[in-house]
Amino acid sequence: MQASTSLPSAQRTRDTQAQGLRRAVKRRHTRAGLLFVSPWVIGFLAFFVYPFFATLYYSFTNFNGIQSAKLIGFTNYVDLFHDPLFKTSLFNTFYYTACELPLSTIVALGLALLLNMDVKGRAIYRTIFYIPSIVPLVASCLIFVWIFNPDSGIVNDLLTDVHIPGPGWFFSIVWSKPSFILLGLWGLGQPMVIYLAGLQSVPREMYEVADLDGARPWQRLRYVTLPMISPVILFNVILQLVLCIAYFTQAQVIENGDVGGPGTSTWFYVQYLYEQAFEYLKFGYSSAMAFFLFVVSALIMVALFKSSSRWVYYASEQQ
Amino acid sequence: MRASSSRLPNKTVRGLSKHAVLIVVSVLLGFPLLWMVLTSFKTNPQSLALPVVWWPHPFEWKNYPDFLAAVPFYRYVLNTLLYAAVTIVGVCISSSLVAYGFSRIHWKGRDVLFQVMVSTLLIPFFATLIPLFVMYRKFHMVGWYLPLMVPTFLGSSVFSTFLLRQFFMTIPESLSDAARVDGANEFYIYSRIILPMAKPAMATVILFQFIYCWNDYIGPLVYIDNQTWYPLSLGLYQVLGTYTTDWPWVMAAATAATAPIVILFFFTQRTFIKGIAVQGTGVKG
Amino acid sequence: MNHRGGKGTDAAGRSTGARSHRPNGLKKRSLAKISTAIATAAIVGAVGVGTTGVANASVVNLTWWTMWSGATLQLLNQMTTQFNKTHPGIHVSETAIPSSATASTAKLLSSIAAGDPPDIFTEWWPEIGEFAADGDLDSMSPYLTGKYAGFEKWEYPVAVQGGTYRGNLYAVPMGLNSWALYYNKGLLAKAGVMSPPTTLAQLQADQAKEWVITNGKVQQLGMYPDLNENGFLFYASFFGAMNCFNAAGKYDYENCAGAKALMNWIASYSKYPYAQVMALQTAMGQVAGGDTDIFSGGKAGFTLSGPWEGAQNIPTTGGKGLQGDFGVIPFPGTVGGPSTIGQGNFNIIPQGSAHPAQAFEFISWLAGYQNEAFMGTIDPKGGWVPGGPSVTKQPAYQAWLKANPWLGPFLPQMTSKYTVAPALTPTQAELFNAMNTATSNVLEKIMTPEAALKYIDQQGNS
């Protein structure tokens, strides 16, 4: 009857209904999402939150591990910035991270690309490439130390054969960090396998389309492969960041009591943290160190995630 | 259209050069392992002889039985398998659920919470150890593997969750949407659609969790009080002597600890590397 | 590709139909894994309980954490077994926490913080001062009554010194170390020296002749003060540089004559290539806590070490052990006679231990108190000096001394007036680490001796 005048209000009702529906869907999604992540949230609240904030609290105290802590304000943090060993260990860890992160990404990806090739005996090659990362850490450190021994190791033996003077590797102030970086590059089995799995799930049609367009190998790599495995690249980069900033065990094993290596060239951050906490019983100071590291690395991580919206392609987000 | 010159030699040359590169890299990565295995058959003086000796003579087979007698090897392997089995169950269940929530459903605050989760990796283990340990003690969990096992059922393996989330996000949204249109709820989509497609990713997670447990020693060292429950990783440290060390034993221990995983990996690699290329087929737009 | 499903939803919004349809493959695998896990746990648990021994209600159970591994650990097992046999009311169970795994101190401190520590712990001695000052240890002084009234007198004086903080006894050694100068007779003879040095100057001259450096690589060396990280501190007693405090009670190595002499002596070795010596040492197996070293490999003319060097070292050259080719002399220091640093492997009772009185009973027994006969047989196997001199009078120990005449210098040093233990202070660990760093920095020519001493003071007084 009043067809023309009833239309706007019906439209508004439909709009409100649509809005209500969207909100209901959103609520349902939020509920479902939270439900699915609830195991982690429970674990987070139960096992992470208290120790994390306790450590933050301790960083403002002179906690010695057993007696009740006395608040001393920002003294620990101020002392940090006057501590030459803090600066040295931070630099060493930063140097290691800055080198290892890009190198390990390139090497692991390169190895995965090699193993992705269609050759006979792939399984054997893959196994050989992978084994270094599963050898117990102590053993692989020892093996490396012997192989790279400047006096008697095989690497310097071979270098002398081609008339190159072999460097002091782990015993040289200049070469000690690069030696650790090399050790890290040897055991890249884990990121490599993950890249390989990623490479294998790139749909074949993508490559077929690229071939039809006349793409050359490096173009395939740049425009098909890398974007398709970008989620996995982000993953490996972040995990490698975590491993680099927490670098500890290998240095402890190789330095064998002479913490810091030649001079203080391989005194890493977490080694200093451990010494402050469990040798000097200065838990307040070590907690301040931990927090400083956390803040710095969290900033780097957030930056990485922010940048990822520009170079990471998720099939589930492209609508 | 490329001029088709005689294809056969090209293919062989290409094949050979591929093998050449692979062999070179294999040698570079593999010769430290060769050193490890060969040293495990040497006598201790020979393992330290200068200039270095590569091939052991005499060939000491008995380093292996000696090492197996020095630590309760089989018991330690059983302990490690138990540790791995329980945590694998925990990780498969909780990490896949959490990863699904962070990837296949769109809700406000999801990505921020995800980054919070990943940032929990940025606090070094030793920094929070004391309050964490005190807390576990209050829950009466210290002494056995409980502090290492229970959290895995509550999504503690951020590594696994993160990995699965990345894989889940490579599956086009249209699959989930189609199912939702058909009336399926999220759990159904999770269990009947997403999980089956993520078999390679799940297999990868299982393998890595297994390897993690196999080599993890700091957690067990701190939380286990009875050495009969030690995992194999600590057995290796027990062989490193205080005053003197028998290096071939150490290498034998390392080889014995590595060999089972090598075999495991060799025979199962297809499962997670040869992906199911289902993603992408039949889903155009 | 059609996925129909979800027949109806329950209150939580989840499909009731789907609840009974879990991912089949995964569920079956999970079930299989869970049941295997439970079965294994049951079997292994039963075995575990069986092997740890029956816990009797009337028996006091003590837990002992040790940081040894390898052959020494087996020695400790023998000791524990013997104690349990001869003390029916107490049962000691031992847990080996390999020190090479680094986290062992973290484990101890965590357990103390949580109020559930072991009853006895064998600690690396630099930590004792830190722990005692922070309240992490139970004092043993209350138990020095009755049959233990004469305990401290029974011990070597240096053992009491090394375990006492502010008048309370906190640590008792299980084995003491005595340090002397080993020399390789063959290398000495080859260098044209017929008898071992008796003065510091002679040592300097003799060792200089033994260095062989070709193409920048060290093939052989004479003496080097930082082998096995035994730097400044281990030579301190030979130079009177052990506990240098000023009037205000602060560390004052800068102004201590003995310390200056020692640091200058160390600096005299900075002309040798530090990195190459360390590389050679590592090549000889000195990695990851291993102590196989240059001397037992026949590549060093001199080394500072203890009785275990000769007693335990695995042969590293040509199948021959450290036999006959070597001799031992007291280090020719600048103080008036032989001496040694008083240190060793000390047992402590962590704060909060459940049975401190029984723990002390065990600890004193391990030291050899009223247990001389048994420890007289064990100490030779470990190459240890016992906690008290009466053990060394035991026939088994005397037989060991007689059979190995090179052991001569070690025992008399223990009671020399120049032998002194490092004082326990709250910054003991900082001090010792600083001394090690200072030693290597001076040898690497990164620090002058004066700067090194200043650094030690600064760290020790922090």
Side-chain angles (χ1 to χ4, degrees):
Chain A
M1 273 193 345
Q2 293 160 305
S4 49
T5 51
S6 74
L7 218 52
S9 63
Q11 181 69 33
R12 248 175 299 154
T13 316
R14 273 199 295 280
D15 281 347
T16 333
Q17 278 180 339
Q19 252 182 348
L21 197 62
R22 271 198 296 277
R23 251 185 258 128
V25 167
K26 265 213 186 89
R27 263 202 310 271
R28 201 172 64 219
H29 277 185
T30 308
R31 241 201 343 235
L34 284 173
L35 201 61
F36 271 91
V37 304
S38 58
W40 173 75
V41 173
I42 296 172
F44 175 73
L45 293 173
F47 300 125
F48 184 83
V49 162
Y50 165 66
F52 181 79
F53 284 104
T55 307
L56 176 60
Y57 172 71
Y58 289 143
S59 72
F60 295 106
T61 69
N62 58 2
F63 188 49
N64 70 358
I66 182 165
Q67 290 157 1
S68 34
K70 235 187 332 191
L71 278 168
I72 54 173
F74 281 91
T75 314
N76 286 328
Y77 290 96
V78 170
D79 286 345
L80 270 185
F81 287 101
H82 293 129
D83 184 348
L85 204 44
F86 161 78
K87 294 184 198 141
T88 310
S89 62
L90 187 64
F91 170 75
N92 287 338
T93 297
F94 178 75
Y95 179 118
Y96 177 79
T97 308
C99 294
E100 182 79 12
L101 209 50
L103 282 176
S104 65
T105 306
I106 296 172
V107 171
L109 191 53
L111 290 175
L113 286 168
L114 278 179
L115 293 175
N116 201 30
M117 297 193 299
D118 203 358
V119 288
K120 266 210 289 241
R122 265 201 298 201
I124 302 178
Y125 288 120
R126 284 177 181 164
T127 311
I128 295 179
F129 283 29
Y130 184 63
I131 299 178
S133 70
I134 52 177
V135 174
L137 214 49
V138 171
S140 49
C141 289
L142 298 185
I143 295 169
F144 246 69
V145 163
W146 274 329
I147 289 182
F148 280 88
N149 191 297
D151 269 7
S152 53
I154 192 167
V155 171
N156 273 12
D157 262 1
L158 293 174
L159 285 176
T160 350
D161 284 346
V162 289
H163 302 293
I164 305 177
W169 299 113
F170 288 104
F171 298 97
S172 140
I173 293 186
V174 167
W175 285 89
S176 53
K177 285 192 275 284
S179 306
F180 278 100
I181 293 171
L182 276 178
L183 173 63
L185 293 179
W186 181 64
L188 284 175
Q190 187 173 282
M192 180 193 84
V193 164
I194 294 176
Y195 280 133
L196 197 50
L199 287 173
Q200 294 265 332
S201 22
V202 175
R204 258 173 230 299
E205 308 88 61
M206 298 272 174
Y207 290 120
E208 283 162 18
V209 168
D211 279 345
L212 282 175
D213 283 347
R216 329 203 61 154
W218 71 269
Q219 284 175 323
R220 279 165 41 132
L221 182 69
R222 180 151 173 231
Y223 294 112
V224 179
T225 314
L226 289 183
M228 287 306 290
I229 63 168
S230 53
V232 164
I233 296 181
L234 177 68
F235 172 81
N236 274 333
V237 166
I238 298 218
L239 261 297
Q240 195 65 27
L241 173 72
V242 170
L243 288 175
C244 285
I245 59 171
Y247 202 64
F248 176 76
T249 307
Q250 292 91 324
Q252 288 287 109
V253 171
I254 289 178
E255 287 158 12
N256 188 40
D258 185 19
V259 179
T264 48
S265 59
T266 50
W267 208 313
F268 292 102
Y269 197 81
V270 178
Q271 287 181 288
Y272 189 44
L273 194 155
Y274 182 89
E275 183 181 84
Q276 285 293 333
F278 295 105
E279 285 185 41
Y280 303 159
L281 307 183
K282 294 225 175 82
F283 288 98
Y285 197 70
S286 68
S287 300
M289 285 186 73
F291 249 83
F292 180 81
L293 183 71
F294 176 77
V295 168
V296 168
S297 43
L299 288 173
I300 299 177
M301 189 200 83
V302 167
L304 272 171
F305 269 116
K306 264 209 163 52
S307 80
S308 74
S309 60
R310 276 196 284 161
W311 56 275
V312 178
Y313 164 78
Y314 293 116
S316 65
E317 305 281 290
Q318 310 299 321
Q319 296 305 331
Chain B
M1 202 57 173
R2 238 174 279 149
S4 52
S5 44
S6 45
R7 284 239 199 99
L8 214 51
N10 269 352
K11 210 153 74 170
T12 329
V13 165
R14 254 182 311 183
L16 276 177
S17 58
K18 282 184 191 169
H19 275 282
V21 174
L22 284 171
I23 289 175
V24 165
V25 178
S26 297
V27 167
L28 280 176
L29 293 178
F31 85 89
L33 303 170
L34 191 63
W35 172 263
M36 176 178 88
V37 175
L38 287 177
T39 306
S40 71
F41 291 113
K42 296 177 188 161
T43 58
N44 199 45
Q46 214 170 61
S47 70
L48 297 170
L50 297 175
V52 288
V53 171
W54 271 86
W55 194 262
H57 39 79
F59 214 85
E60 283 279 3
W61 293 99
K62 70 178 182 67
N63 282 327
Y64 282 90
D66 280 353
F67 163 69
L68 294 182
V71 297
F73 182 79
Y74 298 107
R75 173 64 202 249
Y76 284 172
V77 168
L78 264 173
N79 292 338
T80 307
L81 288 178
L82 175 65
Y83 175 36
V86 174
T87 56
I88 285 175
V89 171
V91 166
C92 282
I93 297 177
S94 68
S95 286
S96 61
L97 285 168
V98 176
Y100 184 86
F102 276 129
S103 59
R104 304 303 304 177
I105 310 174
H106 295 270
W107 45 285
K108 202 166 186 207
R110 176 190 83 168
D111 290 337
V112 171
L113 198 59
F114 176 72
Q115 291 188 32
V116 169
M117 181 184 79
V118 177
S119 69
T120 63
L121 293 173
L122 300 173
I123 275 268
F125 172 76
F126 288 118
T128 50
L129 177 59
I130 295 233
L132 185 66
F133 190 97
V134 171
M135 190 186 68
Y136 279 133
R137 182 71 186 62
K138 282 211 168 65
F139 293 162
H140 297 283
M141 286 165 70
V142 172
W144 198 61
Y145 285 92
L146 288 176
L148 304 169
M149 288 177 174
V150 170
T152 59
F153 285 85
L154 293 175
S156 71
S157 175
V158 176
F159 171 90
S160 309
T161 310
F162 193 173
L163 183 61
L164 288 174
R165 182 253 195 190
Q166 298 302 92
F167 265 101
F168 287 174
M169 285 184 95
T170 63
I171 301 172
E173 189 67 16
S174 40
L175 274 175
S176 288
D177 283 342
R180 287 193 190 110
V181 161
D182 282 346
N185 64 58
E186 295 299 340
F187 191 81
Y188 185 90
I189 303 175
Y190 157 78
S191 55
R192 287 306 204 96
I193 302 175
I194 301 298
L195 269 192
M197 296 187 74
K199 278 208 195 76
M202 289 297 286
T204 312
V205 161
I206 292 176
L207 175 79
F208 285 144
Q209 182 63 31
F210 185 84
I211 291 168
Y212 174 77
C213 291
W214 192 262
N215 282 334
D216 179 28
Y217 75 94
I218 290 193
L221 180 73
V222 170
Y223 292 118
I224 299 175
D225 283 342
N226 185 345
Q227 64 188 58
T228 39
W229 282 105
Y230 277 176
L232 186 62
S233 47
L234 283 179
L236 176 60
Y237 278 98
Q238 286 188 298
V239 170
L240 285 171
T242 314
Y243 292 122
T244 59
T245 302
D246 193 314
W247 296 109
W249 273 26
V250 177
M251 292 297 120
T255 310
T258 313
I261 310 225
V262 173
I263 298 170
L264 176 75
F265 177 83
F266 184 78
F267 286 113
T268 59
Q269 42 173 294
R270 275 181 191 283
T271 328
F272 45 82
I273 296 181
K274 197 168 191 83
I276 299 174
V278 167
Q279 303 153 210
T281 57
V283 187
K284 296 254 166 76
Chain C
M1 288 292 280
N2 272 339
H3 295 272
R4 287 204 171 276
K7 320 231 182 319
T9 53
D10 62 8
R14 277 176 293 177
S15 157
T16 47
R19 224 188 280 138
S20 57
H21 291 287
R22 306 198 87 139
N24 283 325
L26 213 55
K27 174 166 172 86
K28 285 206 194 95
R29 280 212 298 277
S30 311
L31 263 186
K33 280 205 193 80
I34 294 174
S35 36
T36 321
I38 294 175
T40 319
I43 297 170
V44 163
V47 172
V49 168
T51 51
T52 51
V54 183
N56 198 322
S58 63
V59 169
V60 170
N61 285 299
L62 298 178
T63 45
W64 181 26
W65 290 0
T66 65
M67 296 207 281
W68 276 287
S69 41
T72 322
L73 189 57
Q74 282 151 22
L75 215 53
L76 298 182
N77 291 338
Q78 288 176 26
M79 289 151 70
T80 319
T81 314
Q82 173 73 6
F83 180 85
N84 288 335
K85 214 164 48 172
T86 54
H87 293 75
I90 309 179
H91 182 89
V92 176
S93 45
E94 201 191 316
T95 304
I97 308 171
S99 64
S100 38
T102 306
S104 23
T105 316
K107 184 185 172 82
L108 174 73
L109 284 167
S110 306
S111 67
I112 295 176
D116 191 21
D119 296 291
I120 308 118
F121 189 85
T122 314
E123 180 52 84
W124 295 155
W125 47 291
E127 298 297 326
I128 298 176
E130 305 270 348
F131 286 8
D134 274 2
D136 286 321
L137 304 181
D138 268 352
S139 164
M140 301 188 208
S141 300
Y143 310 111
L144 300 175
T145 58
K147 71 172 182 168
Y148 297 109
F151 180 70
E152 281 182 328
K153 269 216 187 53
W154 173 91
E155 288 187 277
Y156 276 110
V158 79
V160 180
Q161 260 176 33
T164 305
Y165 177 72
R166 296 245 174 110
N168 273 302
L169 184 68
Y170 285 105
V172 169
M174 191 165 75
L176 285 171
N177 296 332
S178 180
W179 298 79
L181 191 66
Y182 280 73
Y183 64 97
N184 187 316
K185 290 184 182 160
L187 293 184
L188 203 59
K190 242 196 276 187
V193 179
M194 285 310 125
S195 59
T198 49
T199 66
L200 196 62
Q202 271 175 13
L203 171 62
Q204 295 293 81
D206 292 349
Q207 70 88 27
K209 299 189 182 120
E210 287 174 326
W211 282 82
V212 175
I213 304 180
T214 53
N215 294 333
K217 289 197 187 160
V218 174
Q219 313 282 6
Q220 188 179 287
L221 56 91
M223 174 75 192
Y224 201 74
D226 199 20
L227 295 182
N228 298 346
E229 281 88 52
N230 296 332
F232 186 94
L233 184 65
F234 289 80
Y235 296 91
S237 69
F238 309 133
F239 291 81
M242 187 61 81
N243 294 313
C244 294
F245 292 97
N246 62 19
K250 296 239 169 246
Y251 285 112
D252 194 23
Y253 286 87
E254 296 180 71
N255 296 314
C256 176
K260 286 195 256 195
L262 171 52
M263 201 51 96
N264 285 326
W265 175 73
I266 291 176
S268 70
Y269 288 86
S270 62
K271 61 177 182 243
Y272 299 111
Y274 177 84
Q276 275 64 38
V277 173
M278 291 298 126
L280 180 62
Q281 180 173 257
T282 307
M284 299 303 297
Q286 223 274 305
V287 291
D291 264 357
T292 324
D293 60 46
I294 298 185
F295 187 82
S296 56
K299 302 263 177 199
F302 295 91
T303 192
L304 185 74
S305 194
W308 63 83
E309 176 93 17
Q312 283 186 331
N313 260 312
I314 293 172
T316 54
T317 46
K320 259 199 327 184
L322 195 52
Q323 322 252 353
D325 266 333
F326 68 95
V328 182
I329 49 169
F331 188 90
T334 57
V335 298
S339 70
T340 178
I341 176 179
Q343 59 87 227
N345 305 307
F346 284 77
N347 284 320
I348 57 166
I349 303 178
Q351 199 269 345
S353 137
H355 310 283
Q358 288 83 357
F360 178 72
E361 192 172 336
F362 181 55
I363 289 176
S364 62
W365 184 90
L366 284 174
Y369 189 70
Q370 299 181 353
N371 180 31
E372 282 89 341
F374 179 68
M375 288 312 284
T377 62
I378 293 282
D379 282 319
K381 293 192 200 148
W384 296 327
V385 175
S390 56
V391 179
T392 64
K393 312 281 194 297
Q394 291 293 314
Y397 205 93
Q398 288 289 318
W400 178 55
L401 292 175
K402 254 212 208 48
N404 297 285
W406 51 268
L407 286 168
F410 289 112
L411 276 188
Q413 285 175 172
M414 297 303 299
T415 43
S416 147
K417 66 177 175 187
Y418 303 108
T419 294
V420 56
L424 297 192
T425 65
T427 51
Q428 207 177 351
E430 283 96 323
L431 184 80
F432 294 170
N433 282 353
M435 286 177 171
N436 282 341
T437 309
T439 306
S440 45
N441 282 355
V442 165
L443 289 168
E444 290 177 87
K445 296 208 202 113
I446 299 176
M447 270 185 183
T448 63
E450 297 77 32
L453 292 173
K454 232 202 206 81
Y455 175 71
I456 292 175
D457 283 336
Q458 177 206 44
Q459 290 295 108
N461 290 326
S462 65

